[in-house]
Amino acid sequence: MSGGVAGPDALAPLVSTVLDALVKGAKTRGGPVAPGSPEEAAVAVAEAFHGVGATGAGGHTSQTSQTGHTSPAGQTSQTGHTSPAAHTSPAALDRLTELLAHGSADPADASCAAHLHCPPLAVAVAADLAVSALNPSQDSWDQAPAATVLETLLLQELAELVGYDRERAAGVLTSGGTESNLMGLMLARDRVLGAATGRQIELTGLRPALGARPRILASAVAHFSVQRAAALLGLGEDAVLCVPVDEQLRMDTDALAALLDGCAERGELPIAIVATAGTTDTGSVDPLRACAALAAEHGAWLHVDAAYGGGALLSDRLAPLLDGLELADSLSLDWHKLGWQPAAAGVFLVAESETYASLARRAVYLNPADDEEAGYPSLLGLSLRTTRRADAFKIAVTLRTLGREGLGRLVDACHELALSGARTARNHPCLELYAEPVLTAFVFRYLPVDADEKHGDDEQRSDDINAALRRRLLREGRAVVGRTELPGEGPGRVRLKLTLLNPHTTAEEVERLLLEVVAAGRAEEEAAALR
C-alpha cells in the first residue's frame, strides 16, 4: 500500500519504473503524437493490454526479485516475504506506462497546440502524487483533516484574486468548467425561480404550473456545457437563448438587452445570463460590466464562465480584460488550463455564501450536526460530488512555489507566443488570420494555392482541405492542430486553431508549426488533384 510509514518505500521503486517508462515512451513517440491511424493505435493498445499482467479473471502474473522471492509489486518486503495485498506486476506497470507515453498527445511538445491542454508543472505533478498516495477524500473532515482546511484557505485566496470579499464568498474545487457551469446555473435556477414562485425549487422541482418559462441567455459562442446544464436541470436545452456576437465574437450587449426585453414581453423569466471570459476558440471576453448591469436590471443571476480567461488574473498585462468579473454572482475557473495543473483543477466560486443554501446536504455518516457544532467542519454541502480528491493541494503548492508573479510570467510568455504566431500567419501568403489573439490562442486557415486560378472562391474546397490537412498532420505524427468553425451557416467556416499553453515554446517553433500546416495543405491539394 502507498500509505503509512512504509508506503513511500513501496512506492519509490514503482515511481522509478514509471519515470523510466515515460522516457522510453516519449522517445519511441518522437514527436507531439505517434504517427498512424486511429485503428492502428487501437490495435497497439489492445495488444499491449492483453499481452501483459493478468492471465485471466482472478489470475495474476508476478516477477521474481533478485533474492529469488516472488513479489507481485516487483520488490521483496523487508521480511523477505511476498506482500499479500499487492497483485500488480511491474512488467504491466512498465509496459503500459510506456504505451501510454508513446500513445499520448504531448502538450509539452511545441507542435501539440490544438486544445486548452496544458503541460503541467513538475511541482504540481509531484504534489498530485502525494494526494494519490494519501488518498484523502473531501466529503468529511475525518477523511481529510489537513486538506479540508487547505481547500478552504485556497478558495479564500482565489476569491480575493477575483475581487470577491474572501469572508463572504464560498466555493469548491470541481472537475472543470462543465461542472462549475452546472453548479452556477443550478444555483441560478433555485434562487431566481425560488424567489419568483415562493417555493424551494430544489425540493419541489419544476412544476407545469410555473407560468413564466425560465430562460438562460448566453452568447452564440458560449461553451456547449451551458445547453447541457439546462438539460440536466430540467429546463431543456431550448431554454437557452443564444445572443448574437460582434465581429470579435463577444456578446453583443444591445442584442442581449433586446432579448431580455423580449422575455418580459412574452412573460418569460430570465433566470441567468452566462457571460464568457475567454471563449475556447478565440479567447474573447464578453463585456462583463454591461452584462452585470443588465442582469441586475432584469433580476437575473450572472454566471461568468472564466474557465480559460480566468488565467488572465495572474497577469498584470491581461487582468484588465476581466474588469467586472467581481460583479458575477458565480464564476468558474480552470487551473488545468492557464494554471499548468494536472487535470482536474476546476474552481467554482460564489460571491455570497448564503446563495449556496440549496446545495447544503446533511448525511449523518459524513457531517452530523453535532460534529459541526463541536467544531468539525464539512465541505460536503459545497459540491455536487461526494467522494472528491484533494485537488486543491497541487494548486496550493504551485501558488506557494511560483506565486502570482511567477505564474503571471508564464501567462505573458504564452500571450507573446500567440501574438508572434498571429503575425506569422497574417504575413504568410498561404495563411489567413481570423483575428488578433486576445489570450493565448489564434484562429486561421490555409488558403489553397490555386483557388483563384482554377476554382474561384470555392469555400467548400477550402473547408475540405483545412479539415483534411489537420488529419494528415495527426496521421503523420507531425502536429496536433485544432479545428473549429466560425458562427453562421454554410461553407467557408472551417478554421484551424493554435492554443499556445507551453511557455517554453519559442516563436521559431510556432513559425515552424505554421509552415508544417502550409506543407500539409499543399500535400492535400496535390492529393485532391490526383483523385
Side-chain angles (χ1 to χ4, degrees):
M1 297 297 179
S2 64
V5 175
D9 287 338
L11 196 56
L14 300 177
V15 170
S16 179
T17 295
V18 166
L19 295 176
D20 289 343
L22 288 174
V23 171
K24 290 186 291 185
K27 285 182 177 178
T28 58
R29 183 183 65 242
V33 67
S37 67
E39 293 79 11
E40 290 168 330
V43 169
V45 172
E47 288 178 350
F49 177 69
H50 294 300
V52 296
T55 57
H60 302 282
T61 61
S62 60
Q63 286 192 339
T64 301
S65 70
Q66 293 177 351
T67 64
H69 295 287
T70 298
S71 171
Q75 298 290 321
T76 302
S77 68
Q78 293 177 352
T79 63
H81 297 293
T82 300
S83 168
H87 292 291
T88 303
S89 164
L93 180 64
D94 177 68
R95 178 69 188 94
L96 293 180
T97 302
E98 181 181 349
L99 171 78
L100 181 67
H102 172 83
S104 291
D106 182 8
D109 191 291
S111 293
C112 184
H115 302 285
L116 288 163
H117 177 201
C118 72
L121 289 161
V123 69
V125 174
D128 214 31
L129 173 61
V131 170
S132 293
L134 295 168
N135 205 30
S137 181
Q138 300 291 82
D139 48 316
S140 66
W141 185 91
D142 57 2
Q143 296 177 83
T148 296
V149 179
L150 195 61
E151 179 167 320
T152 303
L153 293 173
L154 174 69
L155 288 168
Q156 288 178 339
E157 193 164 300
L158 295 181
E160 201 166 49
L161 179 66
V162 166
Y164 286 167
D165 183 329
R166 61 183 292 151
E167 301 303 324
R168 294 167 58 186
V172 74
L173 270 288
T174 71
S175 60
T178 294
E179 182 184 350
S180 297
N181 290 346
L182 174 62
M183 292 181 71
L185 290 174
M186 177 181 176
L187 295 180
R189 181 199 66 179
D190 296 345
R191 295 286 293 186
V192 179
L193 276 181
T197 62
R199 293 189 284 107
Q200 282 187 263
I201 303 301
E202 69 274 18
L203 297 181
T204 65
L206 300 172
R207 295 178 178 175
L210 175 63
R213 181 179 184 184
R215 288 291 195 183
I216 297 168
L217 296 94
S219 89
V221 294
H223 197 262
F224 67 86
S225 60
V226 175
Q227 278 80 5
R228 177 179 285 175
L232 290 171
L233 293 172
L235 304 172
E237 291 194 22
D238 288 344
V240 180
L241 295 178
C242 290
V243 183
V245 292
D246 62 18
E247 65 280 357
Q248 294 177 294
L249 300 187
R250 301 173 304 186
M251 188 186 293
D252 183 331
T253 52
D254 288 338
L256 173 61
L259 284 170
L260 288 166
D261 290 341
C263 287
E265 292 168 3
R266 294 186 298 272
E268 298 172 345
L269 182 63
I271 62 171
I273 296 169
V274 179
T276 305
T279 57
T280 54
D281 286 340
T282 63
S284 300
V285 179
D286 290 337
L288 301 181
R289 283 195 176 275
C291 290
L294 286 168
E297 179 184 341
H298 290 268
W301 180 281
L302 177 63
H303 175 74
V304 177
D305 178 359
Y308 175 24
L313 292 168
L314 300 168
S315 163
D316 289 339
R317 178 198 306 175
L318 297 178
L321 290 171
L322 303 187
D323 177 53
L325 182 63
E326 72 280 4
L327 302 175
D329 294 294
S330 62
L331 58 89
S332 59
L333 305 169
D334 276 4
W335 282 73
H336 51 251
K337 294 182 173 69
L338 279 177
W340 295 280
Q341 301 296 297
V347 174
F348 173 72
L349 290 170
V350 295
E352 303 291 341
S353 58
E354 63 265 22
T355 62
Y356 235 119
S358 64
L359 268 174
R361 288 294 179 272
R362 177 79 61 198
V364 293
Y365 73 102
L366 293 173
N367 62 341
D370 55 321
D371 268 6
E372 291 194 350
E373 290 166 3
Y376 291 82
S378 169
L379 305 181
L380 180 67
L382 297 173
S383 178
L384 294 176
R385 293 177 284 163
T386 304
T387 301
R388 188 165 59 82
R389 271 182 111 250
D391 287 319
F393 181 72
K394 59 197 173 193
I395 304 176
V397 168
T398 300
L399 274 172
R400 286 299 174 266
T401 303
L402 296 178
R404 177 181 177 271
E405 182 180 353
L407 287 167
R409 285 196 294 269
L410 302 184
V411 173
D412 289 343
C414 292
H415 182 232
E416 287 292 344
L417 280 176
L419 293 174
S420 174
R423 283 194 297 270
T424 299
R426 184 172 58 246
N427 295 330
H428 198 287
C430 292
L431 298 175
E432 178 186 76
L433 179 68
Y434 175 69
E436 293 299 320
V438 177
L439 296 170
T440 67
F442 64 93
V443 173
F444 64 102
R445 67 173 170 173
Y446 170 76
L447 297 173
V449 174
D450 60 352
D452 292 334
E453 296 176 10
K454 293 184 178 180
H455 299 276
D457 188 19
D458 189 345
E459 295 287 17
Q460 184 59 58
R461 180 167 175 268
S462 173
D463 284 356
D464 293 342
I465 289 175
N466 277 274
L469 77 82
R470 173 183 163 274
R471 291 189 292 269
R472 176 183 286 270
L473 290 170
L474 277 174
R475 189 170 60 250
E476 296 177 355
R478 289 157 56 193
V480 186
V481 175
R483 175 254 173 88
T484 189
E485 293 184 14
L486 300 180
E489 297 180 358
R493 296 164 54 223
V494 172
R495 293 294 186 277
L496 304 175
K497 177 177 64 169
L498 295 189
T499 307
L500 300 164
L501 294 182
N502 184 350
H504 297 302
T505 297
T506 66
E508 291 74 22
E509 288 172 322
V510 175
E511 182 176 3
R512 284 198 294 272
L513 176 54
L514 289 168
L515 294 178
E516 289 275 20
V517 169
V518 172
R522 287 173 175 165
E524 281 301 320
E525 286 195 84
E526 293 171 2
L530 296 174
R531 288 197 287 268

